[in-house]
């Protein structure tokens, strides 16, 4: 069960914080929660990578932007070993920054910072609760609090899949906190993911090798196919499909480095 605050704000591409009636938040089916024994966070490797966004329409595939990402192992505080995921989207007219701290032992999302032209949304998941704050560039500031009945992932779907060990054909439910939902209520999602097996991908001059293929089905019927490598940069390609099965967007690896990120002497 969870409740949201009375605060209500509208942001562009971020969260609308609204009052919601209590909902049944029980996990059903074969679910994967943060810390599940089938997750192996130690397999996630540090790396930097750039993916190109390709949109599909009447004129064929068109690159519409790029996403640069780094994955580092850090301590958020002295007692919090974390995986820091820093992502920046950019195209000729706009850019955005998405920074996520994951618990290095469970992959639970602890803190997430999302920026947009209108302002910044901060999401804290801590001690069974979710706290969301929106700070607008116009000085507006709103908050909402939610009590969660179990911890969730968020901002790291491909890394969760890179650490997941399930047999081919198995389907599991993965609870997440979406950063692109239009309401706080709808940001608490449960996606069904099926491990479909392996195949080979070759991106000339960039990367080639065997990937694990996962298909994620969302509540609205749309789906995402992930092509995940065992080693960094893990996410090689990601295809987005409408509920009717039509591909409309892809992320494809364009460049990467597996050099360990070091600071100091």
């Amino acid at each position: 069960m969870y409740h949201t605050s009375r605060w209500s704000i509208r942001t562009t591409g971020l969260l609308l914080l609204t009052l919601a009636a209590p909902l049944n938040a029980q996990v059903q089916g074969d679910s994967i929660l943060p810390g599940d024994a089938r997750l192996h966070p130690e397999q996630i490797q540090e790396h930097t990578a750039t993916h190109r966004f390709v949109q599909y329409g009447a004129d064929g595939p068109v690159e519409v932007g790029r996403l640069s990402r780094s994955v580092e192992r850090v301590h958020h505080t002295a007692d919090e070993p974390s995986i820091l995921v820093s992502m920046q989207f950019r195209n000729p007219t706009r850019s955005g920054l998405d920074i996520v701290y994951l618990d290095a032992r469970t992959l639970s999302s602890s803190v997430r910072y999302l920026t947009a032209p209108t302002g910044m949304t901060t999401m804290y998941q801590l001690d069974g609760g979710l706290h969301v704050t929106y700070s607008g560039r116009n000085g507006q500031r709103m908050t909402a609090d939610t009590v969660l009945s179990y911890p969730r992932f968020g901002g790291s779907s491909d890394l969760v899949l890179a650490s997941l060990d399930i047999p081919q054909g198995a389907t599991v439910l993965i609870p997440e906190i979406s950063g692109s939902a239009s309401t706080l209520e709808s940001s608490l999602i449960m996606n069904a993911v099926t491990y479909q097996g392996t195949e080979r991908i070759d991106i000339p001059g960039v990367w080639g090798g065997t990937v694990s293929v996962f298909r994620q089905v969302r509540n609205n019927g749309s789906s995402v196919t992930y092509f995940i490598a065992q080693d960094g940069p893990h996410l090689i390609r990601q295809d987005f499909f409408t509920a009717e099965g039509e591909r409309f967007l892809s992320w494809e690896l364009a460049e990467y480095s597996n050099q360990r990120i070091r600071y100091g002497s």
Side-chain angles (χ1 to χ4, degrees):
M1 304 284 286
Y2 72 87
H3 308 267
T4 60
S5 78
R6 293 180 178 272
W7 296 112
S8 176
I9 62 172
R10 185 174 295 276
T11 68
T12 302
L14 297 177
L15 292 175
L16 170 64
L17 309 184
T18 60
L19 176 66
L23 296 180
N24 183 351
Q26 296 300 314
V27 180
Q28 299 177 354
D30 187 12
S31 58
I32 299 287
L33 298 181
D36 191 290
R38 290 167 289 184
L39 293 172
H40 302 278
E42 71 279 0
Q43 295 179 179
I44 295 174
Q45 298 178 0
E46 294 187 314
H47 64 270
T48 60
T50 298
H51 290 79
R52 61 192 193 106
F53 279 35
V54 178
Q55 197 168 48
Y56 297 85
D59 298 328
V62 177
E63 183 175 325
V64 295
R66 296 226 165 181
L67 178 78
S68 299
R69 183 175 79 162
S70 66
V71 175
E72 309 169 56
R73 289 188 176 272
V74 300
H75 276 74
H76 191 215
T77 68
D79 298 322
E80 292 180 284
S82 302
I83 296 174
L84 171 61
V85 185
S86 303
M87 299 166 278
Q88 182 174 35
F89 170 80
R90 62 190 186 280
N91 66 19
T93 60
R94 65 183 296 267
S95 65
L97 187 64
D98 187 353
I99 298 174
V100 185
Y101 284 92
L102 310 175
D103 186 306
R105 294 159 292 201
T106 68
L107 296 184
S108 174
S109 172
S110 53
V111 187
R112 187 174 188 180
Y113 307 93
L114 281 159
T115 71
T118 54
M120 182 173 76
T121 298
T122 304
M123 310 170 84
Y124 286 92
Q125 184 181 199
L126 184 67
D127 296 331
L130 175 65
H131 178 73
V132 182
T133 299
Y134 171 73
S135 300
R137 294 181 65 182
N138 61 0
Q140 185 182 29
R141 181 178 172 88
M142 304 298 286
T143 65
D145 291 282
T146 297
V147 176
L148 301 175
S149 51
Y150 47 84
R152 291 174 173 262
F153 305 100
S156 57
S157 296
D158 65 298
L159 299 182
V160 172
L161 297 179
S163 72
L164 181 60
D165 182 14
I166 56 175
Q168 183 174 340
T171 297
V172 294
L173 301 175
I174 300 180
E176 299 184 48
I177 303 169
S178 171
S180 60
S182 60
T183 68
L184 182 58
E185 176 182 336
S186 62
S187 72
L188 301 180
I189 58 178
M190 181 74 76
N191 291 318
V193 175
T194 301
Y195 175 40
Q196 297 186 317
T198 62
E199 66 177 66
R200 183 174 178 86
I201 287 184
D202 289 292
I203 304 175
V206 179
W207 188 89
T210 300
V211 297
S212 296
V213 183
F214 296 88
R215 182 171 182 261
Q216 177 193 85
V217 178
R218 297 175 171 177
N219 291 337
N220 62 5
S222 65
S223 63
V224 185
T225 301
Y226 292 87
F227 300 84
I228 305 293
Q230 181 177 7
D231 299 325
H234 301 304
L235 180 63
I236 306 303
R237 201 174 82 224
Q238 188 173 356
D239 293 337
F240 297 79
F241 297 88
T242 66
E244 294 70 36
E246 183 176 345
R247 182 171 61 173
F248 65 91
L249 183 70
S250 291
W251 299 7
E252 184 179 88
L253 183 66
E255 56 187 84
Y256 78 99
S257 171
N258 279 1
Q259 291 281 334
R260 181 176 174 83
I261 301 167
R262 297 182 183 276
Y263 300 94
S265 57

